[in-house]
Amino acid sequence: MEIVVDILKQLNIVPVPLLDGQAQVVRARALLEANREGVFHALAESPDGMTSAELAEKLGFAPDGAKVLLRALNSMGYLRERGGRYSNGRWVRRWILDPKRGLHYMLRLQLYTYHRLEGLGQNLKTGRPTMDFHAMDAANPTPQQETYTRAMREAARLIIPDLLKRAAVPPKVERMLDIGGAHGEYSRAFVNRFAGLKAKMIDLAGPVATAAKIMEEEGNPEGLELAVGDALRDDFGKNWDLVLLANMVHLFNTEQNVDMFKRCRAALKPGGSLLVMDQFTGLGRRRDHIFAVISLNFFNVGGKAYDVSEMNAMLREAGFDKVQSKPFSLRTPGALIQAWA
Ligand SMILES: C[S@@+](CC[C@H](N)C(=O)[O-])C[C@H]1O[C@@H](n2cnc3c(N)ncnc32)[C@H](O)[C@@H]1O
């Protein structure tokens, strides 16, 4: 169905702005509300599926509300309907409910993103971001902050296999610093991959508190060290084999990034490397199309999706002479830029 719509859009015979400006908003909202209200989990608990009346009863929807929502989700391809009974489709099973790939928190986070982007018009005019990350610097994270950190963890799980594949890491590495490491998932993956590696992650107080909570829930077999720190100001110490900046540079402006890169370079051992993982443009037309849109979201929090040429210029200004870009496979959002001290 989506392919047909795409073809009709390309042929310019459907009212594209109506699809993008109205239908997309309603579709997104239907998905986010269903996820927030537990529709997919409720359906997963009913092996024979549920009627709209049963779902309404279970989750406290108005009968007509449940009916219209289930029909919409069915037409969007998220549910299946047989004889008036609805069950989860394969996208829900794989991308929302699967413990390894599920994006439940990511969808919850988009409810906040939706709200934040109300400020986009103002942000585009003034150039000032709608959100200040330093609001996260509170030891007791709000539900929104905790959702953010757990959502980033879900995204990390999708990215880690490509990152591990593309990063050129010598067999013997001992110390890794994960700046803005939040949930700690990247550090965990590196420690599990490279025997003898120890990792420390720093972040603002809120995400560190959430990371500590995750460790309480699941343990910390990798012995990760957590610390509150400020990527925009701190001295990062010395003698790290690896410094990771995953999804960080898109939050900051050029000046902030150059300054951060200089402090990363000073913190690396000679021959150690900086791994910058993010969503970059300049690595192919398909990726550029996606990131041109995502960049608006980054601009709304103070940064943008940088072009690889801008990244190279910033890293060279910070003193890195050897820099390589390594795009991920098309199904993984992002790319790695590795720079050696
Ligand atoms: C987009 S998330 C990325 C998290 C994680 N690195 C990942 O890729 O999943 C950005 C992270 O940067 C952290 N952050 C933002 N500003 C920061 C600062 N000035 N110092 C330290 N961490 C910061 C946020 O708290 C958040 O955890």
Side-chain angles (χ1 to χ4, degrees):
M1 185 57 190
E2 292 303 310
I3 295 169
V4 176
V5 173
D6 272 350
I7 293 170
L8 296 176
K9 280 168 108 175
Q10 288 314 314
L11 292 173
N12 205 8
I13 54 176
V14 285
V16 181
L18 196 60
L19 297 178
D20 287 345
Q22 195 219 23
Q24 298 270 37
V25 175
V26 182
R27 286 165 69 99
R29 201 70 214 186
L31 178 61
L32 303 187
E33 294 298 342
N35 181 65
R36 167 165 60 189
E37 295 304 324
V39 169
F40 304 123
H41 285 88
L43 293 177
E45 285 163 12
S46 303
D48 300 328
M50 291 174 98
T51 63
S52 64
E54 286 164 355
L55 187 88
E57 170 78 23
K58 180 154 185 169
L59 296 182
F61 284 108
D64 282 350
K67 198 181 279 181
V68 76
L69 177 63
L70 290 176
R71 273 197 194 150
L73 293 168
N74 181 47
S75 93
M76 286 160 59
Y78 282 85
L79 302 184
R80 287 180 321 183
E81 184 267 337
R82 253 192 221 119
R85 303 192 75 77
Y86 291 88
S87 53
N88 289 319
R90 58 201 182 113
W91 295 343
V92 174
R93 292 198 301 276
R94 187 178 175 99
W95 299 114
I96 299 180
L97 300 175
D98 181 319
K100 285 203 193 118
R101 302 190 186 89
L103 295 166
H104 167 76
Y105 283 104
M106 196 41 110
L107 291 181
R108 288 192 78 97
L109 177 65
Q110 299 321 306
L111 289 160
Y112 297 109
T113 307
Y114 202 96
H115 180 64
R116 169 168 53 71
L117 286 175
E118 282 286 321
L120 183 63
Q122 184 75 0
N123 162 225
L124 291 175
K125 286 199 172 145
T126 62
R128 281 196 297 279
T130 303
M131 177 180 168
D132 175 4
F133 270 90
H134 282 91
M136 302 260 239
D137 215 359
N140 295 315
T142 60
Q144 172 177 356
Q145 291 164 358
E146 185 169 340
T147 298
Y148 175 71
T149 301
R150 290 185 186 268
M152 291 312 303
R153 184 186 195 199
E154 290 176 341
R157 288 180 174 155
L158 302 183
I159 292 167
I160 282 168
D162 267 39
L163 177 62
L164 287 175
K165 218 181 282 165
R166 305 298 283 136
V169 178
K172 208 174 156 346
V173 273
E174 291 167 349
R175 299 179 71 233
M176 167 176 174
L177 179 65
D178 182 0
I179 301 172
H183 42 79
E185 202 68 9
Y186 288 99
S187 293
R188 253 175 230 114
F190 272 82
V191 167
N192 283 321
R193 173 68 181 270
F194 298 100
L197 180 65
K198 295 268 175 236
K200 172 177 176 177
M201 48 142 294
I202 63 164
D203 206 304
L204 301 170
V208 166
T210 301
K213 196 166 163 186
I214 292 173
M215 284 180 184
E216 264 171 44
E217 289 162 6
E218 301 176 14
N220 180 19
E222 294 82 10
L224 296 193
E225 194 186 329
L226 291 180
V228 175
D230 188 346
L232 293 179
R233 286 180 195 88
D234 286 3
D235 178 329
F236 298 136
K238 288 252 169 292
N239 276 326
W240 300 100
D241 294 281
L242 296 171
V243 173
L244 174 66
L245 289 169
N247 295 306
M248 291 294 283
V249 296
H250 71 241
L251 307 179
F252 304 135
N253 65 35
T254 304
E255 209 178 42
Q256 290 169 323
N257 279 327
V258 170
D259 180 66
M260 183 168 65
F261 294 158
K262 282 183 183 161
R263 284 176 290 117
C264 289
R265 189 170 184 283
L268 281 165
K269 271 184 187 164
S273 60
L274 174 64
L275 304 172
V276 188
M277 197 291 289
D278 220 298
Q279 331 252 311
F280 304 114
T281 58
L283 290 170
R285 226 155 49 94
R286 270 174 204 252
R287 291 183 175 86
D288 285 2
H289 278 185
I290 299 169
F291 298 147
V293 178
I294 296 289
S295 193
L296 277 173
N297 189 32
F298 297 163
F299 190 72
N300 195 242
V301 297
K304 64 174 195 167
Y306 284 93
D307 196 81
V308 171
S309 59
E310 295 174 296
M311 286 298 300
N312 286 341
M314 288 190 280
L315 286 161
R316 287 192 196 285
E317 191 182 335
F320 287 98
D321 296 327
K322 185 178 167 196
V323 178
Q324 277 179 10
S325 348
K326 305 170 177 209
F328 295 158
S329 60
L330 267 181
R331 62 182 217 160
T332 306
L336 169 67
I337 295 184
Q338 184 161 5
W340 284 263

